[in-house]
Amino acid sequence: MQRRVCCNCVHDPTRRAMTAILTITVNPAVDLSTEAPAVIPDRKLRCSAPRVQPGGGGVNVSRAIANLGGVSRTLLAFGGPTGMALTNALRAEGLDLRGLGVDHPTRQSLSVRDAANGLQYRFMMPGPDWTESDCATARAAILQALEPGALVIPSGSYPPGLPDAFFVDLNRNVAAAGGRIILDTSGSALRAAARTGTGLFALRMDHEEAQELSGARLKRLDDIADYASRLHRDTGSRIVMIAAGAMGTVIVTPDWRGLLRPPVVVPVSKVGAGDSFVGGFALALSRGDDPVSACAWGVAAAASAVTTPDTDLCDRADVERFVTEVTRSAL
């Protein structure tokens, strides 16, 4: 009998033991989402009752992995009543949490959907200021939690005070322990990661971030692929991925350069699509898939996430169906 391939292969005796996954969220949030009949300036907007959900890059990566039947350890900084609400919600979802020892009050974020035109407006707060002592404490907590060979996923924005090169510098320690960093960030932290010779295992960004980083418009897929190849060469990263929206994800590895295109879906919310991608990608890597096949799982997870509201992230059944519809083409 043919075995059905799915995201949770831990019980498959033909598979090797799964690699540990460690997500890191230095700037988590409690996400509030609501809807207004129309978003109009200078008027009181009567909104629907808000949904309250956990947020932050690494937090959502762990949630996506759990949605797909996988397991990860979630490291995060949290504090205050908002932090308590966040961790209570994550524990209710069954996540394995560990604090970074930095207990500043956790921030909030807000997304509002305009019912008149379907557009979504997202308001992201900066988070608390970190001190040098906070950075040292978080670094020690990460290294203490590091398992040999683990996939380490710092994801999301940085709080003020955290050095842009924090995780790039940490990469030496992670690599020495046999670990592999998958970095998904933006802004000045992404610029730090794009410096020559950073040597990350995987570097991911979206099209807009790639354009900002390159200083070019990158209108064609070949332009995106050429820039990904440049990053692959200059940074020494083993894998570089640039998400190009509905067109799919461009990936460059030592063995292949190409596009993985998702099935056509009707989008509901783009929130969490990138985090779902990273979750699907990391989970597939953890079970031994090659990088391109793992990227296909990530593309399927992102496609699933855009069909769900707010930060519900990917759905396992959809991902298992969508991954069979992901197409590959060399660039």
Side-chain angles (χ1 to χ4, degrees), residues 24 33 51 53 70 96 118 128 139 184-185 194 200 203-204 211 240 256 260 265 267 273 282 305 310 322:
I24 305 171
S33 56
R51 294 188 69 193
Q53 294 177 295
D96 178 10
R139 179 186 178 89
D184 181 20
T185 189
L200 297 167
L203 181 62
R204 180 200 175 271
Q211 289 185 123
V240 174
W256 195 73
L260 279 76
V265 298
D310 307 324
F322 289 161

Side-chain angles (χ1 to χ4, degrees), residues 313-325:
L313 305 175
C314 52
D315 175 80
R316 179 175 175 177
D318 286 343
V319 174
E320 292 178 6
R321 183 174 73 257
F322 289 161
V323 74
T324 65
E325 303 173 26

Side-chain angles (χ1 to χ4, degrees), residues 9 24 56 63 79 91 122 152 178 202 216 239 257 260 323:
C9 297
I24 305 171
R63 294 176 65 221
R91 289 191 178 98
R122 301 168 66 184
V152 180
I239 303 165
R257 183 181 105 160
L260 279 76
V323 74

Side-chain angles (χ1 to χ4, degrees), residues 174-193:
V174 172
R180 295 171 287 172
I181 286 186
I182 302 170
L183 185 62
D184 181 20
T185 189
S186 59
S188 57
L190 178 58
R191 289 193 292 274

